């Protein structure tokens, strides 16, 4: 905007505010995304409704600019008398407070792209064995444990009780919570509500309580505590945007590779316009895996199934949207089911064209499911949830810093997948978010009797995902040609897994837009949709109302399904047709009223499949899910008892194998260690030892590589278990070869 235009706008603003006409919908220039151009309205439906009810009511809106936000945009906002409540360094939007009528007028200006309400954000509410995490941490062919070391997981939630023992370093002292920041305005980063602590421990709690019974999926990952929900579990979109903005700015400094969002807001705006979705997409394009809970609104008050209640930002195609499964408290997976309350797809967020016609996104979601029913994990001391619902207390310890609690919901399932993503990224740091998503989906286990709207591609299988991730080439880039070898081997992995004695097939499919694709080439040949800056869903397009492979981002040998399937429990593509994908791609209209889907659920457009507004009894049901979950058997509460520390290893020996490698060996004297910690320092008399690696139990050798030639190192080793550490071995000195 030039100076003359700004001056004219400032002069007109007062006149507009004084003589503004009755409300009329603001029209937009075009829809953004995927190279498409469609005329659409520029005001969200809920903001329009607020304006209709009371045009003078002061509201806080998220205002998006058309192009990069500049000082001229700030001047225009001030000219309309709007107060800026929040700005974002990395997103072209502001949170502004104005009368509803004025928000509409601002949106009418060509400098702005979209205006939406600053909506309320709220929670959506034995793991290591049943998910395959135990197997994944100790992959055959390596002496190391995969535990998330070095990977940063940002937990954006209600805060974290930082004194809980679940968040200490492996030594039992110090903390892995590297950052504590409040975005609620209270200045506190603790967890008076009790949700965030539980979520964080599922993703990254250590195994030092009750002999590892409540170990998180990535128990040595670094945690970033970003508090956006208050003591009642409520927040707003602008606080969430501020937290995501901080993550983007600080992602490199803290190696933030995963963001967990066990919260959300009603998905009204199409993901192309929703400010939270746009912010999440920017993080994904920067290499951060964003994991979101699907929501807990899959069941009506009287128990019937409801479709189309995926929350924002779970409706964003670039994020990994997670539904909740129920392990029924067993480690074996033969009895696992999808919970009754887990939100089902398709996504029903939409945009409205200038003729008033709604165009629904209708994306196939969730992406996969993970255990989320009556999960026991860390309890924040004196939190609101346990205080008002004492039965949530698992009573496993007399110490507040070790106590655990029950919670249920997709809020609990999401951090299972966040922890899984951290393990994959530790094993192969070069994986893009799209590759992480594709690997998790392809290796997932389809649960028999549930359709793709309920379970996506199936239940998380971390054993298979890790095995596949470790085979993916580490030199992939944006210039890697379509169809190039994806793996470091010409022999693809066996496409089944065994967890807790149960052997099952991988589903073998990946979601793209309103359907899924299958084919071995998904894991043997490089697909351009795995790169940064694109969507996995960009691999298919609509041709004459039919979804087909685009042939540019996806190679030959990838097949596009024409149906949503109720699984037989074998492959994703096996089972009974639930509905054709054609009903999802026909100009955003799902199905006509009074069409009955295969499982007898009435899907009436705008009634059971919501049109962006929560059905009343669904919302009521969601608030009880966190407390009650599904009333089935669940994981057992294991008391925290004192475990004897292991006996120290002996006879440590070190040999220089080359200019860069030292081989260590020792004698295992303990019968109850969980592993051995190798420590090293540089110099013949050094004392500043630092951990190098934790070797799995019963290990007695380690090859330390990447050292400097002709340099003296000192080594020592000690055993570790839930009871603590043993004494060290004697220190040994060794000098690498000079040539």
């Amino acid at each position: 905007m030039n100076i003359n235009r700004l001056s004219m706008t400032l002069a007109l603003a007062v006149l507009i505010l004084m003589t503004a006409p009755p409300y009329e919908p603001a029209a937009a220039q075009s829809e953004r995304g995927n190279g498409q151009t469609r005329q659409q309205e520029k005001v969200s439906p809920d903001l329009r409704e607020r304006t209709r009810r009371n045009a003078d009511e002061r509201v806080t809106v998220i205002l998006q600019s058309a192009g990069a936000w500049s000082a001229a945009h700030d001047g225009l906002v001030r000219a309309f008398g709007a107060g800026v409540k929040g700005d974002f360094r990395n997103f072209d939007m502001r949170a502004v407070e104005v009368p509803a009528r004025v928000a509409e007028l601002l949106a009418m200006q060509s400098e702005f792209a979209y205006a939406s309400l600053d909506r309320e954000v709220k929670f959506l509410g034995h793991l290591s064995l049943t998910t395959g995490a135990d197997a994944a941490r100790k992959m055959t062919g390596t002496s190391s444990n995969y535990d998330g070391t070095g990977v940063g997981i940002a937990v954006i939630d209600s805060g974290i009780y930082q004194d809980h023992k679940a968040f200490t370093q492996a030594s039992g002292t110090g903390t892995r919570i590297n950052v504590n920041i409040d975005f609620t305005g209270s200045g506190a980063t603790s967890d008076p509500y009790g949700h965030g602590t539980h979520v964080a421990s599922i993703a990254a709690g250590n195994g030092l309580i009750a002999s590892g019974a409540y170990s998180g999926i990535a128990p040595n990952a670094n945690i970033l505590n970003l508090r956006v929900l208050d003591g009642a579990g409520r927040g707003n979109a602008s606080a969430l945007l501020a937290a995501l903005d901080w993550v983007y700015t600080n992602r490199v400094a803290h190696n933030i590779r995963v963001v967990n969002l066990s919260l959300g807001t009603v998905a009204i705006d199409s993901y192309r316009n929703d400010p939270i979705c746009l912010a999440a997409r920017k993080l994904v394009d920067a290499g951060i895996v964003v994991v979101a809970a699907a929501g807990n609104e899959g069941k009506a008050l009287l128990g019937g199934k409801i479709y189309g209640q995926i929350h924002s930002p779970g409706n964003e195609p670039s994020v990994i949207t997670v539904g909740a499964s129920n392990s029924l408290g067993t480690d074996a997976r033969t009895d696992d089911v999808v919970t009754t309350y887990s939100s089902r797809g398709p996504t029903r967020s939409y945009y409205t064209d200038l003729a008033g016609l709604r165009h629904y996104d209708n994306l196939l979601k969730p992406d996969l499911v993970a255990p989320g029913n009556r999960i026991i994990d860390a309890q924040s001391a004196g939190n609101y949830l346990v205080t008002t619902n004492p039965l949530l207390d698992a009573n496993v310890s007399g110490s507040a810093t070790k106590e655990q609690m029950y919670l249920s919901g997709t809020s609990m399932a999401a951090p299972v997948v966040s922890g899984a993503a951290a393990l994959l990224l530790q094993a192969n740091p070069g994986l893009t978010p799209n590759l992480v998503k594709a690997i998790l989906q392809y290796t997932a286990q389809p649960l028999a009797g549930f359709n793709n709207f309920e379970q996506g591609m199936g239940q998380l299988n971390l054993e298979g995902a890790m095995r596949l991730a470790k085979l993916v080439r580490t030199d992939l880039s944006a210039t890697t040609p379509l169809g190039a070898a994806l793996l470091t081997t010409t022999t693809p992995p066996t496409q089944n897994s065994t967890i807790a004695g149960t052997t099952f097939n991988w589903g073998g499919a990946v979601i793209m837009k309103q359907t899924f694709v299958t084919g071995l080439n998904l894991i043997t040949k490089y697909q351009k949709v795995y790169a940064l800056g694109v969507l996995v869903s960009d691999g298919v397009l609509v041709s004459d109302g039919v979804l087909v492979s685009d042939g540019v981002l996806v190679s030959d040998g990838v097949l596009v399904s024409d149906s949503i399937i109720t699984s037989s429990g074998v492959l994703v593509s096996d089972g009974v047709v639930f509905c054709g994908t054609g009903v999802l791609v026909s100009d955003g209209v799902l199905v006509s009223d009074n069409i009955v889907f295969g499982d007898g659920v009435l899907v009436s457009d705008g009634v059971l499949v919501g049109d962006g507004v929560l059905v009343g009894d669904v919302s009521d049901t969601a608030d009880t899910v966190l407390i009650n979950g599904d009333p089935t058997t669940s994981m057992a509460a294991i008391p925290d008892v004192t475990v004897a520390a292991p006996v120290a290893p002996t006879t440590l020996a070190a040999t220089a194998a080359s200019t860069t490698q030292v081989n260590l060996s020792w004698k295992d004297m303990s019968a109850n260690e969980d592993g051995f910690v190798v420590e090293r320092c540089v110099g013949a008399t050094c004392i500043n030892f630092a951990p190098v690696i934790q070797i799995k139990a019963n290990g007695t050798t380690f090859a330390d590589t990447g050292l400097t030639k002709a340099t003296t190192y000192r080594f020592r080793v000690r055993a570790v278990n839930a009871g603590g550490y043993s004494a060290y071995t004697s220190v040994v000195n060794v000098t690498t070869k000079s040539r």
Side-chain angles (χ1 to χ4, degrees):
M1 181 189 297
N2 59 38
I3 298 299
N4 290 336
R5 168 69 195 279
L6 178 58
S7 299
M8 182 179 297
T9 301
L10 292 173
L12 288 175
V14 175
L15 179 62
I16 291 173
L17 291 173
M18 293 174 61
T19 64
Y23 160 72
E24 293 182 2
Q29 295 178 355
S30 66
E31 172 194 357
R32 291 162 294 154
N34 296 332
Q36 298 175 322
T37 300
R38 294 177 179 170
Q39 295 295 311
Q40 67 166 20
E41 292 186 357
K42 298 172 64 177
V43 176
S44 68
D46 51 347
L47 174 55
R48 188 184 311 118
E49 176 63 18
R50 292 281 284 273
T51 305
R52 186 189 65 80
R53 291 202 311 260
N54 184 355
D56 295 323
E57 177 189 6
R58 293 193 69 82
V59 295
T60 301
V61 300
I62 305 299
L63 187 63
Q64 301 174 36
S65 61
W69 193 286
S70 67
H73 290 90
D74 288 325
L76 189 54
V77 167
R78 289 193 299 271
F80 276 81
V84 176
K85 295 189 66 176
D87 56 7
F88 312 105
R89 177 177 177 181
N90 302 293
F91 310 137
D92 293 317
M93 55 186 80
R94 296 285 189 272
V96 301
E97 184 180 34
V98 288
R101 178 192 298 272
V102 177
E104 294 264 6
L105 295 172
L106 271 170
M108 291 173 62
Q109 308 307 304
S110 61
E111 289 80 9
F112 297 111
Y114 202 76
S116 56
L117 283 175
D118 186 10
R119 301 184 182 109
E120 180 184 66
V121 174
K122 62 180 182 178
F123 64 84
L124 298 178
H126 77 115
L127 286 178
S128 62
L129 177 56
T130 192
T131 58
D134 287 348
R137 291 188 201 131
K138 300 178 180 179
M139 282 286 164
T140 303
T142 178
S143 60
S144 62
N145 282 342
Y146 290 108
D147 56 8
T149 296
V151 178
I153 302 176
V155 178
I156 302 180
D157 213 285
S158 62
I160 298 176
Y161 174 42
Q162 295 140 43
D163 291 333
H164 203 287
K165 295 298 183 183
F167 306 119
T168 64
Q169 297 174 358
S171 63
T173 60
T175 182
R176 290 178 292 113
I177 304 176
N178 291 350
V179 166
N180 295 284
I181 301 178
D182 172 61
F183 294 93
T184 69
S186 71
T189 56
S190 57
D191 185 17
Y193 185 62
H195 189 264
T197 301
H198 196 267
V199 166
S201 63
I202 291 172
N206 59 38
L208 299 182
I209 299 170
S211 300
Y214 311 111
S215 176
I217 304 301
N220 203 42
N222 295 324
I223 302 167
L224 297 97
N225 170 26
L226 307 180
R227 185 176 183 233
V228 299
L229 301 180
D230 63 18
R234 297 293 191 269
N236 52 50
S238 56
L240 177 53
L241 287 168
L244 294 172
D245 190 41
W246 185 93
V247 169
Y248 188 90
T249 299
N250 295 278
R251 65 192 188 281
V252 176
H254 295 284
N255 194 33
I256 305 173
R257 300 299 308 276
V258 183
V259 170
N260 187 85
L261 299 173
S262 289
L263 45 75
T265 186
V266 58
I268 297 176
D269 300 318
S270 168
Y271 66 85
R272 301 170 179 88
N273 297 319
D274 187 309
I276 300 175
C277 292
L278 295 174
R281 174 81 64 87
K282 186 158 186 176
L283 266 61
V284 172
D285 287 347
I288 300 171
V289 175
V290 178
V291 180
N296 297 330
E297 284 142 353
K299 181 173 68 173
L301 188 62
L302 297 179
K305 290 184 179 181
I306 294 177
Y307 287 81
Q309 289 294 339
I310 300 293
H311 277 256
S312 168
N315 62 322
E316 161 57 32
S318 68
V319 309
I320 301 177
T321 306
V322 186
S325 60
N326 186 350
S327 70
L328 300 180
T330 66
D331 295 329
R333 295 165 63 111
T334 52
D335 57 355
D336 292 1
V337 296
V338 177
T339 61
T340 62
Y341 50 77
S342 185
S343 285
R344 297 173 175 83
T347 63
R348 295 296 282 165
S349 46
Y350 63 92
Y351 73 90
T352 306
D353 65 24
L354 298 187
L357 180 64
R358 292 176 178 177
H359 297 263
Y360 293 92
D361 294 333
N362 279 341
L363 300 180
L364 177 52
K365 289 279 188 172
D367 293 298
L368 73 165
V369 296
N373 196 64
R374 291 184 57 77
I375 302 300
I376 302 176
D377 242 302
Q379 177 183 151
S380 176
N383 74 74
Y384 172 83
L385 287 170
V386 166
T387 300
T388 55
N389 303 275
L391 291 179
L392 291 179
D393 194 336
N395 293 306
V396 305
S397 173
S399 169
T401 61
K402 294 184 177 181
E403 194 54 89
Q404 311 288 304
M405 66 185 291
Y406 292 93
L407 285 178
S408 296
T410 58
S411 283
M412 285 57 256
V416 174
V417 174
S418 290
L423 296 190
L424 266 60
L425 290 166
Q426 180 190 8
N428 190 339
L431 296 177
T432 63
N434 287 352
L435 253 175
V436 170
K437 177 192 279 192
I439 289 170
L440 291 175
Q441 290 183 342
Y442 191 94
T443 57
Q445 175 194 4
L447 298 179
F450 298 93
N451 65 61
N452 303 128
F453 291 140
E454 298 175 295
Q455 65 174 322
M457 296 296 93
Q459 182 170 233
L460 173 69
N461 165 26
L462 190 44
E463 187 281 332
M466 278 289 286
R467 187 151 45 88
L468 179 55
K470 284 167 55 63
L471 294 176
V472 173
R473 289 168 48 188
T474 58
D475 61 343
L476 300 172
S477 69
T479 61
T480 302
L482 177 67
L486 179 66
L487 307 180
T488 57
T489 175
T490 57
T491 304
T494 303
Q495 295 187 50
N496 59 51
S497 292
T498 300
I499 295 176
T502 303
T503 299
F504 54 87
N505 291 324
W506 298 357
V510 174
I511 290 175
M512 291 191 182
K513 286 184 179 174
Q514 293 94 353
T515 187
F516 59 86
V517 295
T518 60
L520 184 62
N521 284 356
L522 287 168
I523 63 168
T524 59
K525 295 185 180 299
Y526 180 72
Q527 311 297 328
K528 283 290 189 178
V529 292
Y530 297 157
L532 291 174
V534 297
L535 294 172
V536 174
S537 59
D538 288 343
V540 295
L541 49 82
V542 179
S543 177
D544 294 329
V546 179
L547 290 165
V548 296
S549 172
D550 77 337
V552 177
L553 297 176
V554 176
S555 70
D556 293 340
V558 175
L559 304 178
V560 181
S561 174
D562 60 1
S563 301
I564 301 300
I565 301 294
T566 297
S567 177
S568 64
V570 184
L571 301 176
V572 169
S573 55
D574 292 337
V576 179
V577 173
F578 180 72
C579 71
T581 57
V583 300
L584 298 174
V585 300
S586 180
D587 199 25
V589 178
L590 181 60
V591 288
S592 62
D593 288 349
N594 301 320
I595 296 297
V596 179
F597 270 173
D599 61 356
V601 177
L602 179 66
V603 181
S604 178
D605 195 15
V607 182
L608 289 183
V609 177
D611 57 5
V613 180
L614 286 176
V615 179
D617 66 350
V618 183
S619 183
D620 292 340
T621 300
D623 286 339
T624 68
V625 166
L626 189 73
I627 310 302
N628 301 322
D630 281 339
T632 64
T633 55
S634 59
M635 62 185 292
I638 308 299
D640 180 50
V641 296
T642 302
V643 177
V647 178
T650 62
T651 323
L652 177 63
T655 303
S658 68
T659 58
T660 60
Q661 178 175 323
V662 168
N663 293 335
L664 301 176
S665 65
W666 58 89
K667 186 174 182 180
D668 180 3
M669 303 299 294
S670 179
N672 67 338
E673 82 278 355
D674 291 333
F676 296 92
V677 178
V678 177
E679 298 183 7
R680 177 187 68 203
C681 64
V682 182
T685 60
C686 64
I687 58 173
N688 57 331
F689 286 91
V692 176
I693 195 170
Q694 180 170 319
I695 305 298
K696 60 187 177 182
N698 302 316
T700 57
T701 61
F702 172 63
D704 195 7
T705 59
L707 305 177
T708 304
K709 69 177 181 180
T711 301
T712 299
Y713 294 90
R714 307 187 80 198
F715 290 91
R716 64 186 185 184
V717 177
R718 60 176 173 171
V720 63
N721 66 12
Y725 285 87
S726 72
Y728 287 104
T729 60
S730 298
V731 175
V732 296
N733 287 31
V734 61
T735 302
T736 52
K737 294 182 178 181
S738 58
R739 59 178 182 174

